[in-house]
Amino acid sequence: MENPEQRDQDKTLICDPTQINATQENEKIIEWEDFGHELARLWSLTSALKEANEKKLNLQEKLQYFIQVKTESLTRLNELEEMRERLVARKVMIGNMSTHCKVATEDAKKQEKMLSTELRSWLVAGTSLSVARKRLQESNRTLNEKRGYIKLKNMQRKLRARQQYMISQVSLLYPVKILVGPAQEQELESYPSSSRLGNSSVSKPINCGTLTILGLHLTMRPFTKMSFFTDKKEIQKSATALGYVAHAVSLIASYLQVPLRYPLRLGGSCSYVNDNVPPAGPTTLDFSWKTPLSATVKPVEFPLFLKGQDTTRAAYAIFLLSKDIEQLLNFIGEDSLGPRHLVANLKELLRCVQSSEFIDTS
């Protein structure tokens, strides 16, 4: 069957005279003798063209195959690259995990050492606690007997006698006297105070302005009415007398083994009283019971002298010192004469400790 395109082409050749002339010009006239050779040559050329076309098809198939193989190889290379990146990431992750494991192992070893140390300390504490418990049981058995109670009372009397002796040395070191005349001093034997038995020893009325400590008179006038014309010597003497009182109170508290509510920082005529004032921010109810007192309370110092200080702070320092003396009086079972009677309270404390009732008190 004839192809339509070929039919159209033949029509064009027939209809177009120029093409007919060109075809006629390109025609080659072959002699009959050379026709066989030309036919053989054309046959060989046709065979060669057919082989070339077959080779071309084979090459196209091979090229297509190679392109497909190349595409697959590139795809696999990309997959291998992704797998390599994942492998590197996993190696990094494993390295980090190994580092964390090493750190955790070291921390575990440290904690193990700490726990072993704490365990040993707990074992030692348990051993000492068991020993103390046995001693306590033995002491309880001894105290249950009559001899043990008597022995305890004797030990308490000896302790009280020792405390009395040491505090008597303080009274000799810082004698508190009452000024009777312009140049005469005598010991103040008794003060109007109630004893433990309810009896009161009555003597002449006390004028706190006449009391001296180690010969120095303590007056409160500079602390209440400070002016430019205030005598500087009087201020210095008052500061020195307050330093004597603070030292005496500190010694008595240490001998009686009483921790002062307002601790003292001794410095002679430049002594201070510490007040554990809570911080101004949160209230005391906001503090946790696990928080130590030293971490939440900041001590504030108040001067026991007036040189370069505020009179209000100095007066408050004297009030706190008087409260310390009142604490010691309450410890031995006595009452204070009042916060304004600083030296008189010290004198009363010394008198009560040196009395025979102090030793007999159980």
Side-chain angles (χ1 to χ4, degrees), residues 174 236-247 265-272 303-305 321:
Y174 296 109
Q236 185 63 32
K237 288 180 180 180
S238 298
T240 305
L242 287 173
Y244 292 160
V245 174
H247 191 202
R265 184 166 73 87
L266 302 176
S269 60
C270 295
S271 300
Y272 290 87
L304 286 168
F305 55 94
L321 181 60

Side-chain angles (χ1 to χ4, degrees), residues 139-181:
S139 300
N140 288 332
R141 285 196 299 268
T142 306
L143 287 176
N144 289 332
E145 300 175 359
K146 187 175 181 180
R147 294 180 180 178
Y149 180 75
I150 295 174
K151 185 178 180 180
L152 178 62
K153 292 293 292 183
N154 291 333
M155 290 294 294
Q156 288 179 348
R157 288 178 62 86
K158 288 181 181 180
L159 178 61
R160 291 277 184 158
R162 183 63 180 172
Q163 290 175 340
Q164 187 182 63
Y165 172 75
M166 297 173 73
I167 294 174
S168 65
Q169 299 300 311
V170 176
S171 66
L172 293 177
L173 181 63
Y174 296 109
V176 179
K177 299 180 181 180
I178 184 169
L179 185 64
V180 177

